PDB file of all heavy atoms in Angstrom:
ATOM      1  N   GLU A  86      37.954 171.822 137.846  1.00 91.00           N
ATOM      2  CA  GLU A  86      38.165 171.614 139.287  1.00 91.00           C
ATOM      3  C   GLU A  86      38.338 172.952 140.006  1.00 91.00           C
ATOM      4  O   GLU A  86      37.811 173.150 141.102  1.00 91.00           O
ATOM      5  CB  GLU A  86      39.386 170.713 139.528  1.00 91.00           C
ATOM      6  CG  GLU A  86      39.563 170.312 140.974  1.00 91.00           C
ATOM      7  CD  GLU A  86      38.407 169.500 141.539  1.00 91.00           C
ATOM      8  OE1 GLU A  86      37.766 168.733 140.790  1.00 91.00           O
ATOM      9  OE2 GLU A  86      38.128 169.642 142.734  1.00 91.00           O
ATOM     10  N   ALA A  87      39.045 173.883 139.387  1.00 94.00           N
ATOM     11  CA  ALA A  87      39.212 175.211 139.980  1.00 94.00           C
ATOM     12  C   ALA A  87      37.871 175.934 140.081  1.00 94.00           C
ATOM     13  O   ALA A  87      37.568 176.585 141.089  1.00 94.00           O
ATOM     14  CB  ALA A  87      40.196 176.043 139.160  1.00 94.00           C
ATOM     15  N   LEU A  88      37.044 175.822 139.059  1.00 94.00           N
ATOM     16  CA  LEU A  88      35.720 176.433 139.075  1.00 94.00           C
ATOM     17  C   LEU A  88      34.855 175.798 140.165  1.00 94.00           C
ATOM     18  O   LEU A  88      34.120 176.490 140.877  1.00 94.00           O
ATOM     19  CB  LEU A  88      35.063 176.292 137.707  1.00 94.00           C
ATOM     20  CG  LEU A  88      33.737 176.997 137.496  1.00 94.00           C
ATOM     21  CD1 LEU A  88      33.834 178.482 137.812  1.00 94.00           C
ATOM     22  CD2 LEU A  88      33.265 176.793 136.061  1.00 94.00           C
ATOM     23  N   HIS A  89      34.962 174.492 140.311  1.00 94.00           N
ATOM     24  CA  HIS A  89      34.228 173.768 141.354  1.00 94.00           C
ATOM     25  C   HIS A  89      34.621 174.317 142.737  1.00 94.00           C
ATOM     26  O   HIS A  89      33.751 174.593 143.581  1.00 94.00           O
ATOM     27  CB  HIS A  89      34.564 172.277 141.223  1.00 94.00           C
ATOM     28  CG  HIS A  89      33.808 171.377 142.119  1.00 94.00           C
ATOM     29  ND1 HIS A  89      32.469 171.109 141.970  1.00 94.00           N
ATOM     30  CD2 HIS A  89      34.212 170.660 143.201  1.00 94.00           C
ATOM     31  CE1 HIS A  89      32.084 170.275 142.914  1.00 94.00           C
ATOM     32  NE2 HIS A  89      33.112 169.995 143.660  1.00 94.00           N
ATOM     33  N   THR A  90      35.904 174.495 142.967  1.00 95.00           N
ATOM     34  CA  THR A  90      36.411 175.033 144.235  1.00 95.00           C
ATOM     35  C   THR A  90      35.970 176.479 144.430  1.00 95.00           C
ATOM     36  O   THR A  90      35.581 176.869 145.537  1.00 95.00           O
ATOM     37  CB  THR A  90      37.953 174.933 144.278  1.00 95.00           C
ATOM     38  OG1 THR A  90      38.316 173.557 144.140  1.00 95.00           O
ATOM     39  CG2 THR A  90      38.510 175.487 145.566  1.00 95.00           C
ATOM     40  N   LEU A  91      36.002 177.261 143.385  1.00 96.00           N
ATOM     41  CA  LEU A  91      35.592 178.666 143.461  1.00 96.00           C
ATOM     42  C   LEU A  91      34.114 178.789 143.835  1.00 96.00           C
ATOM     43  O   LEU A  91      33.740 179.647 144.646  1.00 96.00           O
ATOM     44  CB  LEU A  91      35.874 179.361 142.133  1.00 96.00           C
ATOM     45  CG  LEU A  91      35.681 180.871 142.090  1.00 96.00           C
ATOM     46  CD1 LEU A  91      36.553 181.564 143.119  1.00 96.00           C
ATOM     47  CD2 LEU A  91      35.969 181.378 140.692  1.00 96.00           C
ATOM     48  N   ARG A  92      33.275 177.950 143.289  1.00 97.00           N
ATOM     49  CA  ARG A  92      31.846 177.982 143.632  1.00 97.00           C
ATOM     50  C   ARG A  92      31.651 177.706 145.124  1.00 97.00           C
ATOM     51  O   ARG A  92      30.848 178.355 145.782  1.00 97.00           O
ATOM     52  CB  ARG A  92      31.073 176.961 142.800  1.00 97.00           C
ATOM     53  CG  ARG A  92      30.890 177.354 141.363  1.00 97.00           C
ATOM     54  CD  ARG A  92      30.031 176.311 140.639  1.00 97.00           C
ATOM     55  NE  ARG A  92      30.006 176.541 139.224  1.00 97.00           N
ATOM     56  CZ  ARG A  92      30.426 175.682 138.314  1.00 97.00           C
ATOM     57  NH1 ARG A  92      30.907 174.497 138.668  1.00 97.00           N
ATOM     58  NH2 ARG A  92      30.363 175.974 137.028  1.00 97.00           N
ATOM     59  N   LYS A  93      32.373 176.727 145.639  1.00 97.00           N
ATOM     60  CA  LYS A  93      32.282 176.425 147.066  1.00 97.00           C
ATOM     61  C   LYS A  93      32.744 177.627 147.891  1.00 97.00           C
ATOM     62  O   LYS A  93      32.113 177.968 148.898  1.00 97.00           O
ATOM     63  CB  LYS A  93      33.105 175.177 147.407  1.00 97.00           C
ATOM     64  CG  LYS A  93      32.499 173.895 146.879  1.00 97.00           C
ATOM     65  CD  LYS A  93      33.350 172.690 147.228  1.00 97.00           C
ATOM     66  CE  LYS A  93      32.731 171.393 146.746  1.00 97.00           C
ATOM     67  NZ  LYS A  93      33.536 170.214 147.117  1.00 97.00           N
ATOM     68  N   ALA A  94      33.822 178.258 147.467  1.00 96.00           N
ATOM     69  CA  ALA A  94      34.329 179.433 148.188  1.00 96.00           C
ATOM     70  C   ALA A  94      33.301 180.561 148.184  1.00 96.00           C
ATOM     71  O   ALA A  94      33.130 181.261 149.192  1.00 96.00           O
ATOM     72  CB  ALA A  94      35.644 179.901 147.561  1.00 96.00           C
ATOM     73  N   PHE A  95      32.610 180.751 147.086  1.00 95.00           N
ATOM     74  CA  PHE A  95      31.575 181.771 147.023  1.00 95.00           C
ATOM     75  C   PHE A  95      30.466 181.501 148.026  1.00 95.00           C
ATOM     76  O   PHE A  95      29.889 182.435 148.588  1.00 95.00           O
ATOM     77  CB  PHE A  95      31.000 181.909 145.609  1.00 95.00           C
ATOM     78  CG  PHE A  95      31.635 183.006 144.819  1.00 95.00           C
ATOM     79  CD1 PHE A  95      32.594 182.722 143.872  1.00 95.00           C
ATOM     80  CD2 PHE A  95      31.271 184.330 145.029  1.00 95.00           C
ATOM     81  CE1 PHE A  95      33.186 183.730 143.146  1.00 95.00           C
ATOM     82  CE2 PHE A  95      31.857 185.348 144.307  1.00 95.00           C
ATOM     83  CZ  PHE A  95      32.820 185.053 143.357  1.00 95.00           C
ATOM     84  N   CYS A  96      30.157 180.245 148.273  1.00 97.00           N
ATOM     85  CA  CYS A  96      29.124 179.918 149.261  1.00 97.00           C
ATOM     86  C   CYS A  96      29.522 180.400 150.650  1.00 97.00           C
ATOM     87  O   CYS A  96      28.704 180.951 151.382  1.00 97.00           O
ATOM     88  CB  CYS A  96      28.864 178.415 149.280  1.00 97.00           C
ATOM     89  SG  CYS A  96      28.032 177.857 147.790  1.00 97.00           S
ATOM     90  N   PHE A  97      30.798 180.198 151.004  1.00 96.00           N
ATOM     91  CA  PHE A  97      31.288 180.708 152.284  1.00 96.00           C
ATOM     92  C   PHE A  97      31.117 182.222 152.344  1.00 96.00           C
ATOM     93  O   PHE A  97      30.621 182.766 153.327  1.00 96.00           O
ATOM     94  CB  PHE A  97      32.779 180.387 152.472  1.00 96.00           C
ATOM     95  CG  PHE A  97      33.069 178.959 152.788  1.00 96.00           C
ATOM     96  CD1 PHE A  97      33.477 178.091 151.797  1.00 96.00           C
ATOM     97  CD2 PHE A  97      32.947 178.480 154.079  1.00 96.00           C
ATOM     98  CE1 PHE A  97      33.762 176.773 152.083  1.00 96.00           C
ATOM     99  CE2 PHE A  97      33.227 177.165 154.388  1.00 96.00           C
ATOM    100  CZ  PHE A  97      33.638 176.304 153.381  1.00 96.00           C
ATOM    101  N   LEU A  98      31.555 182.890 151.303  1.00 96.00           N
ATOM    102  CA  LEU A  98      31.481 184.348 151.241  1.00 96.00           C
ATOM    103  C   LEU A  98      30.036 184.832 151.345  1.00 96.00           C
ATOM    104  O   LEU A  98      29.728 185.731 152.128  1.00 96.00           O
ATOM    105  CB  LEU A  98      32.113 184.852 149.943  1.00 96.00           C
ATOM    106  CG  LEU A  98      32.000 186.347 149.689  1.00 96.00           C
ATOM    107  CD1 LEU A  98      32.840 187.114 150.679  1.00 96.00           C
ATOM    108  CD2 LEU A  98      32.402 186.659 148.274  1.00 96.00           C
ATOM    109  N   ILE A  99      29.156 184.238 150.579  1.00 97.00           N
ATOM    110  CA  ILE A  99      27.753 184.653 150.551  1.00 97.00           C
ATOM    111  C   ILE A  99      27.122 184.505 151.929  1.00 97.00           C
ATOM    112  O   ILE A  99      26.514 185.438 152.452  1.00 97.00           O
ATOM    113  CB  ILE A  99      26.968 183.835 149.502  1.00 97.00           C
ATOM    114  CG1 ILE A  99      27.464 184.145 148.093  1.00 97.00           C
ATOM    115  CG2 ILE A  99      25.468 184.093 149.622  1.00 97.00           C
ATOM    116  CD1 ILE A  99      27.008 183.123 147.052  1.00 97.00           C
ATOM    117  N   TYR A 100      27.279 183.340 152.535  1.00 97.00           N
ATOM    118  CA  TYR A 100      26.647 183.110 153.833  1.00 97.00           C
ATOM    119  C   TYR A 100      27.275 183.959 154.930  1.00 97.00           C
ATOM    120  O   TYR A 100      26.576 184.595 155.724  1.00 97.00           O
ATOM    121  CB  TYR A 100      26.677 181.632 154.227  1.00 97.00           C
ATOM    122  CG  TYR A 100      26.026 181.405 155.576  1.00 97.00           C
ATOM    123  CD1 TYR A 100      24.641 181.474 155.706  1.00 97.00           C
ATOM    124  CD2 TYR A 100      26.781 181.185 156.716  1.00 97.00           C
ATOM    125  CE1 TYR A 100      24.027 181.311 156.935  1.00 97.00           C
ATOM    126  CE2 TYR A 100      26.178 181.020 157.954  1.00 97.00           C
ATOM    127  CZ  TYR A 100      24.805 181.086 158.058  1.00 97.00           C
ATOM    128  OH  TYR A 100      24.201 180.931 159.283  1.00 97.00           O
ATOM    129  N   HIS A 101      28.599 183.985 154.969  1.00 96.00           N
ATOM    130  CA  HIS A 101      29.256 184.698 156.058  1.00 96.00           C
ATOM    131  C   HIS A 101      29.046 186.211 155.962  1.00 96.00           C
ATOM    132  O   HIS A 101      28.988 186.891 156.982  1.00 96.00           O
ATOM    133  CB  HIS A 101      30.731 184.313 156.165  1.00 96.00           C
ATOM    134  CG  HIS A 101      30.901 182.954 156.763  1.00 96.00           C
ATOM    135  ND1 HIS A 101      30.555 182.658 158.057  1.00 96.00           N
ATOM    136  CD2 HIS A 101      31.335 181.796 156.226  1.00 96.00           C
ATOM    137  CE1 HIS A 101      30.781 181.387 158.303  1.00 96.00           C
ATOM    138  NE2 HIS A 101      31.258 180.836 157.203  1.00 96.00           N
ATOM    139  N   GLN A 102      28.903 186.718 154.768  1.00 95.00           N
ATOM    140  CA  GLN A 102      28.591 188.142 154.629  1.00 95.00           C
ATOM    141  C   GLN A 102      27.198 188.427 155.197  1.00 95.00           C
ATOM    142  O   GLN A 102      27.000 189.398 155.905  1.00 95.00           O
ATOM    143  CB  GLN A 102      28.677 188.579 153.162  1.00 95.00           C
ATOM    144  CG  GLN A 102      28.658 190.077 152.992  1.00 95.00           C
ATOM    145  CD  GLN A 102      29.852 190.751 153.644  1.00 95.00           C
ATOM    146  OE1 GLN A 102      30.964 190.242 153.612  1.00 95.00           O
ATOM    147  NE2 GLN A 102      29.622 191.891 154.250  1.00 95.00           N
ATOM    148  N   TRP A 103      26.233 187.564 154.885  1.00 96.00           N
ATOM    149  CA  TRP A 103      24.893 187.726 155.464  1.00 96.00           C
ATOM    150  C   TRP A 103      24.956 187.582 156.979  1.00 96.00           C
ATOM    151  O   TRP A 103      24.363 188.372 157.723  1.00 96.00           O
ATOM    152  CB  TRP A 103      23.905 186.703 154.886  1.00 96.00           C
ATOM    153  CG  TRP A 103      22.571 186.823 155.562  1.00 96.00           C
ATOM    154  CD1 TRP A 103      21.576 187.715 155.272  1.00 96.00           C
ATOM    155  CD2 TRP A 103      22.111 186.066 156.686  1.00 96.00           C
ATOM    156  NE1 TRP A 103      20.526 187.554 156.149  1.00 96.00           N
ATOM    157  CE2 TRP A 103      20.828 186.548 157.036  1.00 96.00           C
ATOM    158  CE3 TRP A 103      22.658 185.027 157.445  1.00 96.00           C
ATOM    159  CZ2 TRP A 103      20.092 186.028 158.094  1.00 96.00           C
ATOM    160  CZ3 TRP A 103      21.917 184.509 158.495  1.00 96.00           C
ATOM    161  CH2 TRP A 103      20.656 185.008 158.813  1.00 96.00           C
ATOM    162  N   GLU A 104      25.697 186.592 157.451  1.00 95.00           N
ATOM    163  CA  GLU A 104      25.807 186.326 158.884  1.00 95.00           C
ATOM    164  C   GLU A 104      26.390 187.531 159.621  1.00 95.00           C
ATOM    165  O   GLU A 104      25.876 187.947 160.664  1.00 95.00           O
ATOM    166  CB  GLU A 104      26.678 185.085 159.085  1.00 95.00           C
ATOM    167  CG  GLU A 104      26.704 184.535 160.477  1.00 95.00           C
ATOM    168  CD  GLU A 104      27.534 183.275 160.541  1.00 95.00           C
ATOM    169  OE1 GLU A 104      28.651 183.232 159.985  1.00 95.00           O
ATOM    170  OE2 GLU A 104      27.058 182.311 161.162  1.00 95.00           O
ATOM    171  N   ARG A 105      27.431 188.109 159.073  1.00 93.00           N
ATOM    172  CA  ARG A 105      28.054 189.285 159.705  1.00 93.00           C
ATOM    173  C   ARG A 105      27.100 190.469 159.718  1.00 93.00           C
ATOM    174  O   ARG A 105      26.986 191.188 160.703  1.00 93.00           O
ATOM    175  CB  ARG A 105      29.342 189.663 158.977  1.00 93.00           C
ATOM    176  CG  ARG A 105      30.449 188.646 159.178  1.00 93.00           C
ATOM    177  CD  ARG A 105      31.706 189.096 158.525  1.00 93.00           C
ATOM    178  NE  ARG A 105      32.416 189.900 159.517  1.00 93.00           N
ATOM    179  CZ  ARG A 105      33.431 190.682 159.233  1.00 93.00           C
ATOM    180  NH1 ARG A 105      33.846 190.810 157.996  1.00 93.00           N
ATOM    181  NH2 ARG A 105      34.047 191.346 160.164  1.00 93.00           N
ATOM    182  N   THR A 106      26.421 190.693 158.613  1.00 92.00           N
ATOM    183  CA  THR A 106      25.469 191.798 158.520  1.00 92.00           C
ATOM    184  C   THR A 106      24.327 191.603 159.507  1.00 92.00           C
ATOM    185  O   THR A 106      23.910 192.541 160.182  1.00 92.00           O
ATOM    186  CB  THR A 106      24.916 191.903 157.087  1.00 92.00           C
ATOM    187  OG1 THR A 106      26.000 192.166 156.203  1.00 92.00           O
ATOM    188  CG2 THR A 106      23.881 193.002 156.967  1.00 92.00           C
ATOM    189  N   SER A 107      23.835 190.375 159.621  1.00 93.00           N
ATOM    190  CA  SER A 107      22.657 190.110 160.449  1.00 93.00           C
ATOM    191  C   SER A 107      22.956 190.098 161.943  1.00 93.00           C
ATOM    192  O   SER A 107      22.024 190.146 162.750  1.00 93.00           O
ATOM    193  CB  SER A 107      22.013 188.797 160.024  1.00 93.00           C
ATOM    194  OG  SER A 107      22.889 187.726 160.262  1.00 93.00           O
TER     195      SER A 107
END
Side-chain angles (χ1 to χ4, degrees):
E86 187 62 32
L88 186 55
H89 186 71
T90 301
L91 188 58
R92 286 184 189 120
K93 289 179 178 182
F95 264 101
C96 290
F97 286 99
L98 175 68
I99 294 165
Y100 180 74
H101 285 294
Q102 192 63 38
W103 176 82
E104 190 177 46
R105 291 184 88 194
T106 299
S107 64

